[in-house]
Amino acid sequence: MSIRDAAFLSRSRLLAIVTSRPFLTFAIVALVWIVASFVTRGFGAYGHLRYLVELAAVIGIVAAGQTFVVIAGGIDLSVAAIVTVAAVGLPLFAIDADPTGLTPILAVLAMTTAIGLVNGLGVALLRVHPMIMTLAMATFLQGLLIIIAGGSAVTAANPLVSWVGNARPFGIPAGILVWVVVSIVVLVVMHATPFGARLFAMGAGPLAAKLSGVPIASTTMAVYGISGFMSGLAGIIVLGMNGQGYVGIGDPYLLASIAAVVLGGTSILGGLGTYAGSIPGAILLVTITALITVVNASPGWRSILFGTLILALLLLSGREAARR
């Protein structure tokens, strides 16, 4: 390869990176932070930006599972209910013989993963539409939570949960460190393993993927199981950050997780996208919410603006998918 060809290839790769949706989303986050720092006093302080990323970590972890599901051609509307299940259910698994608090956490993660696998079972083997299956699961879980917890808040005296929610190793919130680990694992699995390749193939064309030997049923169950696990992990972090769990604590994360995925460039129709875009998507959503709060917008206007943003993202995603 000549020097000229190598230079052209390097410029092409650089252009592809700069024009990619994840890079553009990161650039928008940086631009908004810079502008808001000049306009709003204290917005650009390290402590405030760290707090925004800490809030985004929960959305980002839920969006990790949602990204797997959406790329595979589905959608998970039960993530909010599963977050609540983890936050409310963990105190029920309190085990005095385990002073570390690890056993209840593993039990909750196993339970939420099982819920995701049930979603995948309904979608893959019973042929129930993902939206119907996961919405039915969410409704079932919400009813179960109301019966178990009622309107009462529950508190978990779990040292590990408290650490995840409040610790600051090296001055960085533990929740952010968990998100970093999750992001690395998700990106490796998604883009450097045969499972990731099957995921994109299935989302791009289920029939073609099946004819190519992709195990559709097991892959579908796996992505919903991953989504359940990620939502459960997010619920544990939320419990640690808030100090208590209650019915409805996971509600904000349903639309936020979908918006973060779409904002990051993942096609809502499946087969195209990356979690590298969902990461800045989650941060941008939290930043927008913070700015809306700063201008003292009423809760009604907040909902309207947030809903408008999601609709715009879905329309944009649909137009991009139509050009494919």
Side-chain angles (χ1 to χ4, degrees), residues 240-259:
M241 292 171 62
N242 287 274
Q244 60 182 8
Y246 52 87
V247 176
I249 194 172
D251 290 353
Y253 302 107
L254 172 56
L255 292 180
S257 67
I258 297 173

Side-chain angles (χ1 to χ4, degrees), residues 75-79 82 114-141 220 224:
I75 194 167
D76 191 350
L77 300 183
S78 66
V79 292
I82 296 177
I115 293 172
L117 290 174
V118 172
N119 281 332
L121 181 67
V123 173
L125 300 183
L126 302 180
R127 308 295 183 183
V128 181
H129 192 280
M131 187 175 295
I132 302 300
M133 181 65 206
T134 56
L135 182 60
M137 177 61 74
T139 304
F140 171 81
L141 292 176
T220 300
Y224 282 97

Side-chain angles (χ1 to χ4, degrees), residues 166-224:
N166 302 293
R168 297 281 190 275
F170 311 106
I172 303 173
I176 296 179
L177 297 179
V178 173
W179 188 24
V180 170
V181 173
V182 167
S183 299
I184 293 172
V185 172
V186 167
L187 289 172
V188 169
V189 171
M190 191 172 288
H191 299 289
T193 65
F195 176 79
R198 294 196 296 268
L199 185 74
F200 283 94
M202 190 174 74
L207 180 58
K210 184 177 182 179
L211 294 175
S212 300
V214 174
I216 301 296
S218 60
T219 303
T220 300
M221 291 183 65
V223 296
Y224 282 97

